[in-house]
Amino acid sequence: MEEALNGTIDPACLQEPPLAMDMIKQLDAFGFCLYFMLTLMSSVSLLLYLEQCVYIYKKLPYPKKTTIIWVNGAAPVIATMACIGMWIPRAVMITDMTSNCYFAVVVYKVLVLLIEELGGSSAFLQQFSGKPFRISTGPCCCCCPCLPQVPMSRRMLFLLKLGALQYAILKTVLSVLAVILWTNGNFDLSDLEITGAAIWINPFVGILTITSLWPVAIVFMNTNRYLRCLKIIPKYAMYQLVLILSQLQTSIINILALDGTIACAPPLSSQARGSMLSQQIMIMEMFIITLVTRLLYRRTYDALPSETHDGDQNTTASLEATHMEHDV
């Protein structure tokens, strides 16, 4: 603040994000065209998702359909929230919280989807009970190949589900707490003092994120060979891409804005401009991911063949048999 008073820093760079109407008045012809195109992209993403929900609800059985609807909604929901944050800069805290909470549930739903594709929890345990699962996988233990393999059991499956579910619950609780503190002026991403709330909440959320991604990676790495005919690898890749773009990319842009690398452009401060840039990039990326995800899930498949009891060779051959595939 003293630097601002001395003229070193433009006072406009320290202001709050502008109101929606004030920002719209600052837009030129290029700005209006850009906002129109990005709004159209997010609207198309949402409409495609709603149509996909109707299709999945009619074509797939419960509970798989609800799980796929949740997973399919990650990109459209993030794009919609980013569009709202783009038009209303002061609502970015709320829109980011909504997107992050939704994706926290998606992390758990991806784990559920992997299990459902294998026939559900009972069939999963019947198929893999007692078989060793490799746990030396990312993001926690990818550098620890010496870790022993753990046999799958009902308790192990419960711990894997719990590891993913805790993020959905705690992330929502901490996001609501952060918004409450933000409205009271106690939560500021630029406040890196030990007494600030952000320096305590954000690292804890990061630990929760890594802890929740590990169980999903364990199940995927040990079962993906049985689900390749269901295009599980590109589906999982889309989930990972949404994770990287919505979490890591946004964090990098916010750090650059806090560091001053992203210069302020009145009426937008450095932090507000960084958020604006993040929202605009996110809309374009999530639009493309929505189209790809629609192609991957726009199919119905027969159920996986049941496991035979004639030995490991017959079991593997049955699980990796080619599935009948029906295009719409």
Side-chain angles (χ1 to χ4, degrees):
M1 184 62 69
E2 293 179 358
E3 293 178 344
L5 295 176
N6 293 333
T8 306
I9 298 178
D10 188 346
C13 295
L14 301 174
Q15 293 177 356
E16 292 184 350
L19 296 173
M21 290 304 300
D22 293 337
M23 188 195 64
I24 292 174
K25 292 177 182 178
Q26 299 285 333
L27 293 177
D28 54 10
F30 174 78
F32 272 111
C33 291
L34 176 64
Y35 273 51
F36 173 77
M37 290 300 299
L38 294 176
T39 303
L40 181 63
M41 284 183 179
S42 62
S43 301
V44 171
S45 298
L46 185 59
L47 291 175
L48 289 176
Y49 170 61
L50 294 176
E51 190 274 335
Q52 183 80 338
C53 289
V54 174
Y55 168 80
I56 292 173
Y57 188 82
K58 291 181 178 179
K59 298 292 184 180
L60 297 180
Y62 179 85
K64 185 184 294 186
K65 62 183 177 183
T66 57
T67 304
I68 293 179
I69 287 174
W70 269 99
V71 174
N72 270 254
V77 168
I78 293 175
T80 303
M81 291 298 105
C83 183
I84 295 174
M86 179 183 68
W87 282 103
I88 310 176
R90 293 194 180 185
V92 167
M93 186 72 180
I94 307 297
T95 56
D96 285 352
M97 182 205 74
T98 305
S99 299
N100 293 334
C101 290
Y102 186 94
F103 189 77
V105 178
V106 169
V107 172
Y108 172 71
K109 289 296 183 179
V110 170
L111 175 62
V112 173
L113 178 62
L114 293 172
I115 297 174
E116 288 295 331
E117 293 286 18
L118 290 164
S121 297
S122 299
F124 181 87
L125 289 173
Q126 184 179 2
Q127 180 176 329
F128 295 104
S129 183
K131 295 183 179 179
F133 265 45
R134 182 166 62 91
I135 62 173
S136 56
T137 181
C140 291
C141 301
C142 55
C143 299
C144 304
C146 58
L147 287 177
Q149 295 187 349
V150 179
M152 177 54 61
S153 62
R154 186 173 298 275
R155 182 172 181 272
M156 178 67 174
L157 180 60
F158 172 76
L159 291 176
L160 291 174
K161 288 184 175 180
L162 183 63
L165 182 61
Q166 54 83 22
Y167 180 54
I169 297 174
L170 295 179
K171 173 62 178 177
T172 304
V173 172
L174 291 174
S175 294
V176 173
L177 176 61
V179 170
I180 293 174
L181 294 175
W182 171 69
T183 56
N184 196 46
N186 301 116
F187 186 89
D188 185 3
L189 292 175
S190 61
D191 183 11
L192 301 180
E193 298 293 333
I194 194 66
T195 56
I199 199 66
W200 293 98
I201 293 178
N202 289 342
F204 186 59
V205 170
I207 295 173
L208 295 178
T209 305
I210 294 175
T211 306
S212 67
L213 297 176
W214 191 29
V216 183
I218 290 174
V219 175
F220 173 76
M221 294 301 295
N222 288 275
T223 63
N224 70 82
R225 64 183 182 275
Y226 303 123
L227 299 173
R228 287 181 181 177
C229 51
L230 302 182
K231 301 184 183 297
I232 199 63
I233 293 179
K235 290 176 182 177
Y236 188 80
M238 288 298 103
Y239 146 76
Q240 291 279 358
L241 189 58
V242 173
L243 168 69
I244 293 171
L245 295 177
S246 65
Q247 305 296 319
L248 184 59
Q249 175 183 269
T250 302
S251 299
I252 293 174
I253 293 177
N254 288 337
I255 291 172
L256 293 176
L258 291 174
D259 188 53
T261 304
I262 299 177
C264 71
L268 295 175
S269 64
S270 297
Q271 191 172 349
R273 191 174 177 220
S275 292
M276 184 67 63
L277 179 63
S278 176
Q279 309 298 328
Q280 294 173 348
I281 295 175
M282 194 77 65
I283 292 173
M284 293 184 286
E285 293 167 342
M286 293 302 123
F287 174 72
I288 296 173
I289 292 176
T290 299
L291 298 179
V292 177
T293 303
R294 175 184 171 83
L295 294 176
L296 292 174
Y297 286 93
R298 194 69 178 186
R299 300 171 183 269
T300 58
Y301 300 89
D302 292 341
L304 284 172
S306 59
E307 181 181 15
T308 60
H309 301 281
D310 297 333
D312 291 338
Q313 281 188 332
N314 292 338
T315 299
T316 304
S318 174
L319 287 171
E320 295 182 348
T322 304
H323 294 239
M324 294 298 294
E325 184 177 293
H326 308 283
D327 293 341
V328 177

